[in-house]
Amino acid sequence: MGIDTTMAQEEERTALLDAESNRRSYSGASTPTLRFESEKETSVLVRRVKYYIPSLSWIPNYSFDLLGGDVLAGLTVSSMLIPQSVSYATSLARLSPVTGLIAASIPGIVYAFLGTSKHLNVAPEAPASLLLGQAVASVIRDYGDGQNFTELGLTVATAITLQAGLIQFLLGFFRLGFIDVVLSRALLRGFITAVAIVVMAEQLIPMFGLTKLMHEVDPHTTVEKILFLCEYTLTHANWLTTAVSFGALSALIALRFIKNQFKQYWFIYRLPEVLIVVIASTIMSAYCGWHEEGVDVLGSVSVTTGDSFFVFPFNSTILKFAHRTTSTAVIISIAGFLDSIVAAKQNAAIFGYSISPNRELVAVGMANVAGAFIPGTLPAFGSITRSRMNGDVGGRTQVASFVCSGVVLLATFVFLPWMYHLPKCVLAVVITLIVYSLLEEAPPDIIYYWRMSAWIDFGLMGLTLFLSIFYTLEIGITVSLIVSLLLVVRRSSKTRMNILGRVPGTDRWRPLNEDPEVEEDVPGALVVRIRENLDFANTAQLKDRLRRLELYGPHKTHPSEAPRRQEPTVIVFHMADVDKCDASALQIFYELLEEYKSRGVSLFITHLRSKQQEKFMKAGIWDLLGADAFRQTVADAIAIVEASNTNQY
């Protein structure tokens, strides 16, 4: 089918070109060159449009042989996503269930058009929902007097979702997708583990039926909530709520165990255990009248959010809270992007295609901006678990996202009233099971860091965990981000250099710390090889690094110890590895060489690339040292030094 379509398109294109050629020939107003240039410009434009809107490439070439797998994947993921989204919205974000369901549908449709990943499922996630819920609670405490709490919460959620989307869009627009390699895995693991612990403490409260008492006591930090549970669980818990909670949890664990034991049977492996437990508990609640015995149920839910279903988000009411929610939006956007890019890369590696981090930022950003047009929509990002399931059950293209979003929208407008008797504690159980999957990933990383003696990574993970639990998630992730970036700056500011020595009997030079046979056989000469490009960041400490090499050599030594070497009278810079050198680095390097000259140190620069020679001339370094200081090889420079030493004697 795809071949026939391509041939038909080619024939149509050829016919159009022939008709255009005949028309132009008749008018005498065209040449083959002009036609070629026009076609070339059109081709470039088409490629650019397809780059920015990837769906224009895959939709026309979609093979209906893939439809069965995509539909099955969409149905399977939506069966997990519907109860999850309701749980995130009500239990974590403290908003209407509709906000979670809309966030599980609209952003997913937008992403499917703009994203480069074929399997990424974009919907609400626990960390972002929790951070949003904390921001909503904080704003309500400060501004809630005399206002409608529901409308205020929707406004704050819209402001955060809009800002998070714009931040991600701008990061992608300015091609800053490399930030995923700047932030360490230890930071991400510490943050996810902290979120899991915080969410666990949050969800145990409704699981024991202590929600009303919590509003009276009003514990703020995670530690306070844990102490609250220890103090009031045995004396004030609703035992029917507790029994329903742990009964649902046991059922989920049992169903998941059965699925893992019988993976070879596809109809068992694809059972939506979460949806089964939610439906069963809703039916039992309605039949037994649990709500009359103190079990909180979802109740009647309006499908609309606020006064209007669609609201232009760039209005004064929403922008009023923008300054208050910016820090939360920044953290949500960064954490959400890291989760999304990890999920996208994993599936891309499994199924053999490539993704663009910058295009992913733009796609997820636009998905959240689109979601912000519906008041209260939660921030949506890619999920590692759901995306993996998407591929496992047969999803091969973004059509699976369309199907999933369509089913969620159907549930929103048709099936939501049927969830009236759904116990809220069951929604808490759904989140608790997700939290367990997050926690079980932490021990292998902790053991690995311990075994590798990676104390910096271990400390960064511990710092994130400690601050998030004892203070807030925002403080934990913010401080850890700053520390992580400082570590990156510290490492990048250290110019990589080696002291070279001569291999005996040859004119070859190798690093002293790599070959025990090499030796420094020219008294007073220091041969330094700079092993990377020079820029303003790593050149700023070049002077201090060179000074340590002069005094202590290649070995690590504490600065308080006495110098191990005599100060050199000749320094030879081996610069074969310097492919680029910016203006700030040249300025610093000039000042460094000028200082060496004032100390009476002879200077040589070898293996300098031709492009860098031009820059050295423009920077004045050529005039400062003289043409004789620039030699082809280290051997040439050392020969001059040895000849000079011989003449002195």
Side-chain angles (χ1 to χ4, degrees):
M1 178 178 178
I3 297 176
D4 294 341
T5 303
T6 304
M7 292 178 62
Q9 291 174 345
E10 184 64 24
E11 291 173 359
E12 183 180 357
R13 179 175 176 274
T14 303
L16 289 173
L17 288 176
D18 290 340
E20 179 68 9
S21 175
N22 292 334
R23 186 187 67 78
R24 290 179 179 271
S25 298
Y26 180 80
S27 63
S30 176
T31 64
T33 302
L34 290 177
R35 284 203 311 274
F36 176 77
E37 292 295 333
S38 177
E39 292 176 15
K40 185 177 179 181
E41 291 176 3
T42 303
S43 176
V44 171
L45 178 62
V46 169
R47 287 201 306 271
R48 295 288 171 83
V49 171
K50 288 182 177 180
Y51 172 78
Y52 289 109
I53 309 177
S55 57
L56 296 179
S57 295
W58 66 263
I59 288 179
N61 299 314
Y62 182 76
S63 174
F64 286 96
D65 293 338
L66 305 174
L67 185 61
D70 287 338
V71 170
L72 180 60
L75 292 173
T76 304
V77 174
S78 63
S79 66
M80 171 191 286
L81 185 56
I82 291 170
Q84 278 187 4
S85 302
V86 173
S87 301
Y88 293 155
T90 56
S91 301
L92 299 183
R94 308 178 191 189
L95 298 173
S96 166
V98 178
T99 61
L101 292 170
I102 294 298
S105 54
I106 302 300
I109 294 172
V110 175
Y111 175 83
F113 281 108
L114 301 177
T116 59
S117 173
K118 300 177 182 180
H119 299 87
L120 193 67
N121 180 263
V122 175
E125 282 290 280
S129 301
L130 179 62
L131 287 168
L132 185 144
Q134 292 177 345
V136 168
S138 176
V139 171
I140 287 177
R141 279 196 299 267
D142 295 343
Y143 299 96
D145 294 341
Q147 296 193 42
N148 187 315
F149 287 179
T150 301
E151 290 184 3
L152 190 58
L154 294 176
T155 301
V156 173
T158 303
I160 291 176
T161 302
L162 177 63
Q163 287 178 294
L166 289 174
I167 290 168
Q168 289 204 312
F169 173 80
L170 292 174
L171 288 174
F173 183 81
F174 290 108
R175 299 184 177 277
L176 299 177
F178 61 86
I179 61 173
D180 68 307
V181 301
V182 175
L183 305 178
S184 69
R185 178 170 176 173
L187 185 150
L188 184 61
R189 174 57 55 212
F191 176 68
I192 291 175
T193 305
V195 166
I197 295 173
V198 172
V199 171
M200 179 71 78
E202 292 262 3
Q203 300 313 301
L204 283 174
I205 292 172
M207 285 175 65
F208 287 110
L210 297 171
T211 304
K212 292 180 180 178
L213 182 61
M214 182 192 68
H215 292 317
E216 296 175 6
V217 178
D218 196 23
H220 294 295
T221 66
T222 302
V223 175
E224 291 176 351
K225 290 175 182 176
I226 293 173
L227 294 175
F228 168 83
L229 285 166
C230 294
E231 183 177 356
Y232 293 104
T233 298
L234 293 177
T235 57
H236 292 76
N238 183 294
W239 295 109
L240 178 58
T241 301
T242 304
V244 171
S245 300
F246 286 92
L249 182 62
S250 301
L252 283 172
I253 294 173
L255 287 172
R256 186 160 293 185
F257 175 78
I258 292 172
K259 286 176 62 175
N260 290 332
Q261 291 297 313
F262 297 96
K263 284 184 177 180
Q264 65 271 27
Y265 303 107
W266 65 268
F267 53 89
I268 295 180
Y269 178 68
R270 293 172 181 174
L271 280 175
E273 71 274 13
V274 174
L275 188 62
I276 291 172
V277 170
V278 166
I279 293 174
S281 61
T282 303
I283 295 173
M284 293 175 66
S285 175
Y287 182 77
C288 300
W290 286 346
H291 63 287
E292 297 175 357
E293 301 181 34
V295 177
D296 289 336
V297 296
L298 192 61
S300 179
V301 179
S302 174
V303 177
T304 59
T305 54
D307 298 330
S308 176
F309 194 77
F310 290 100
V311 174
F312 186 69
F314 298 93
N315 58 62
S316 58
T317 305
I318 292 173
L319 296 179
K320 172 185 175 183
F321 296 99
H323 69 283
R324 176 69 183 267
T325 58
T326 300
S327 60
T328 302
V330 170
I331 295 171
I332 286 175
S333 61
I334 293 176
F337 169 66
L338 291 176
D339 238 4
S340 301
I341 201 66
V342 169
K345 286 183 175 179
Q346 283 183 354
N347 283 282
I350 292 172
F351 293 98
Y353 61 90
S354 61
I355 63 165
S356 166
N358 292 315
R359 300 307 307 151
E360 288 298 295
L361 277 166
V362 170
V364 176
M366 289 303 298
N368 281 293
V369 171
F373 279 80
I374 301 175
T377 302
L378 308 184
F381 301 101
S383 164
I384 296 175
T385 305
R386 292 193 305 270
S387 301
R388 187 184 303 158
M389 175 180 286
N390 190 3
D392 287 346
V393 299
R396 292 297 177 266
T397 71
Q398 291 91 328
V399 169
S401 293
F402 290 134
V403 174
C404 178
S405 296
V407 174
V408 174
L409 283 174
L410 181 66
T412 305
F413 292 101
V414 177
F415 301 123
L416 192 58
W418 297 3
M419 301 173 71
Y420 180 95
H421 292 283
L422 172 61
K424 289 185 177 180
C425 60
V426 174
L427 296 176
V429 168
V430 172
I431 297 177
T432 301
L433 198 63
I434 297 169
V435 165
Y436 173 76
S437 66
L438 296 177
L439 285 174
E440 69 179 356
E441 296 174 0
D445 281 346
I446 294 174
I447 294 171
Y448 175 77
Y449 294 143
W450 185 275
R451 186 173 68 247
M452 298 297 295
S453 300
W455 307 124
I456 293 179
D457 292 323
F458 197 81
L460 187 60
M461 180 179 173
L463 177 67
T464 309
L465 192 62
F466 175 83
L467 293 176
S468 299
I469 294 174
F470 284 89
Y471 293 93
T472 64
L473 283 172
E474 287 190 12
I475 292 177
I477 191 65
T478 301
V479 173
S480 299
L481 280 171
I482 293 172
V483 172
S484 182
L485 291 173
L486 288 175
L487 290 173
V488 171
V489 171
R490 179 175 176 269
R491 290 165 184 164
S492 64
S493 65
K494 290 185 176 181
T495 311
R496 293 187 298 121
M497 296 182 292
N498 294 122
I499 296 180
L500 302 184
R502 181 155 42 193
V503 178
T506 70
D507 281 334
R508 292 187 293 111
W509 297 76
R510 293 177 55 81
L512 291 179
N513 56 354
E514 293 182 6
D515 192 339
E517 295 184 359
V518 302
E519 56 186 20
E520 294 182 275
D521 57 356
V522 182
L526 177 66
V527 182
V528 177
R529 181 167 186 171
I530 299 177
R531 306 303 298 263
E532 61 187 337
N533 296 329
L534 296 178
D535 54 41
F536 71 94
N538 61 16
T539 314
Q541 295 189 13
L542 186 59
K543 177 181 176 180
D544 294 334
R545 297 271 293 156
L546 281 170
R547 187 61 179 166
R548 287 185 61 81
L549 289 178
E550 291 176 36
L551 299 179
Y552 302 106
H555 307 289
K556 290 184 178 181
T557 309
H558 195 273
S560 62
E561 296 187 15
R564 296 183 177 183
R565 303 165 55 96
Q566 294 182 349
E567 293 194 10
T569 57
V570 178
I571 297 181
V572 180
F573 291 99
H574 185 305
M575 306 191 73
D577 298 318
V578 181
D579 188 48
K580 295 180 181 178
C581 192
D582 65 22
S584 297
L586 286 170
Q587 191 175 24
I588 297 172
F589 196 55
Y590 179 94
E591 294 170 355
L592 176 67
L593 297 176
E594 194 174 37
E595 182 178 336
Y596 276 127
K597 284 204 68 174
S598 67
R599 286 169 44 190
V601 178
S602 299
L603 300 167
F604 293 91
I605 295 177
T606 67
H607 299 87
L608 187 65
R609 297 171 182 263
S610 57
K611 290 184 178 179
Q612 303 312 312
Q613 287 182 10
E614 297 176 5
K615 291 185 177 181
F616 273 55
M617 290 180 181
K618 292 179 180 179
I621 297 176
W622 193 279
D623 295 332
L624 175 68
L625 302 182
D628 289 341
F630 291 83
R631 314 306 300 183
Q632 288 291 328
T633 64
V634 172
D636 294 342
I638 294 299
I640 296 174
V641 174
E642 290 175 330
S644 176
N645 291 341
T646 302
N647 292 335
Q648 288 180 2
Y649 291 110

